[in-house]
Amino acid sequence: RVCGLGGQDRVACLDTGPLTLMVSFTRALEEMGVAEAYALSTGPDPTGTVGDLLTLDPTAIVTVPSVLERCLDSLVQGLARRPRARLRSLVYVGEPLRDRTRAILADDLGLEVFAYYGASETSALGIECRAHDGIHLFTDQNYLEISSENPGDTAANLLVTTLHQEGLPLLRYDLGDRVTVRPGRCACGLPDPRVDVVGRTD
């Protein structure tokens, strides 16, 4: 919802196999009430994968940057051949996205790009909103702390204490991620604090 996805959207969750992380996204999207949500597996031929993807005509794609990089040239060419394609946004998960790739998606293809932030140990931690001014951290699911060895550091480690995780609760768990905190309130109106993830160890 923070990304503007809703009842009119057809969302393709693209990864190397359907039984990976993307299954959790399809379930959440269905509970949100999107028109369609499905997991699509990439094949060895990026052109074929993108052809299958564009035949389904999604309005949004959820994917991992390393998968996206393999398919990027085919996606650019495929969308050029389909001027009526309804694709309007892309959510990337699990890895950093190169600045050059983000520029191609946003500037060349006209897509709105969102960063989804999470970890294997915690699942969802936050997401980029439509103001594109940092990642909003979800404070309803986790208690989050910033830990820095030196008071003058511009970036610090993010510590997580899970509030509702029953199977493996975490207490002041250091993710190994380095973040910088964005000051002030976001123009989108969400009260959640915002960060930039500047480094990940995993």
Side-chain angles (χ1 to χ4, degrees), residues 26-202:
T26 56
R27 181 175 175 194
L29 289 161
E30 287 167 359
E31 288 187 16
M32 262 180 49
V34 299
E36 288 184 12
Y38 45 84
L40 183 68
S41 298
T42 59
D45 172 24
T47 303
T49 297
V50 169
D52 292 342
L53 177 68
L54 294 180
T55 297
L56 294 167
D57 198 22
T59 59
I61 296 172
V62 177
T63 193
V64 180
S66 55
V67 171
L68 175 63
E69 291 289 346
R70 288 189 64 235
C71 299
L72 187 60
D73 290 341
S74 297
L75 182 63
V76 170
Q77 294 165 10
L79 287 172
R81 290 191 298 270
R82 294 179 186 241
R84 291 201 175 104
R86 294 187 291 170
L87 185 61
R88 62 176 177 79
S89 62
L90 184 135
V91 180
Y92 67 93
V93 304
E95 303 165 354
L97 183 69
R98 294 188 314 162
D99 291 341
R100 177 187 165 277
T101 302
R102 187 168 185 138
I104 290 170
L105 295 169
D107 301 335
D108 299 349
L109 299 180
L111 302 181
E112 193 168 9
V113 181
F114 299 91
Y116 171 93
Y117 178 49
S120 300
E121 305 93 327
T122 63
S123 190
L125 287 171
I127 198 159
E128 183 176 346
C129 72
R130 299 194 78 179
H132 303 287
D133 191 17
I135 292 173
H136 288 275
L137 296 175
F138 301 139
T139 55
D140 59 335
Q141 297 294 314
N142 303 290
Y143 180 76
L144 301 157
E145 299 173 79
I146 303 296
S147 174
S148 177
E149 294 177 5
N150 302 311
D153 287 348
T154 55
N157 286 14
L158 185 64
L159 306 182
V160 179
T161 297
T162 55
L163 300 177
H164 304 287
Q165 193 162 294
E166 295 178 10
L168 184 61
L170 303 173
L171 178 62
R172 303 196 75 227
Y173 181 77
D174 187 345
L175 290 172
D177 293 351
R178 304 280 290 169
V179 299
T180 57
V181 178
R182 291 214 173 200
R185 291 181 64 89
C186 184
C188 78
L190 286 174
D192 302 305
R194 290 167 297 126
V195 297
D196 291 315
V197 181
V198 295
R200 304 195 76 170
T201 58
D202 186 1

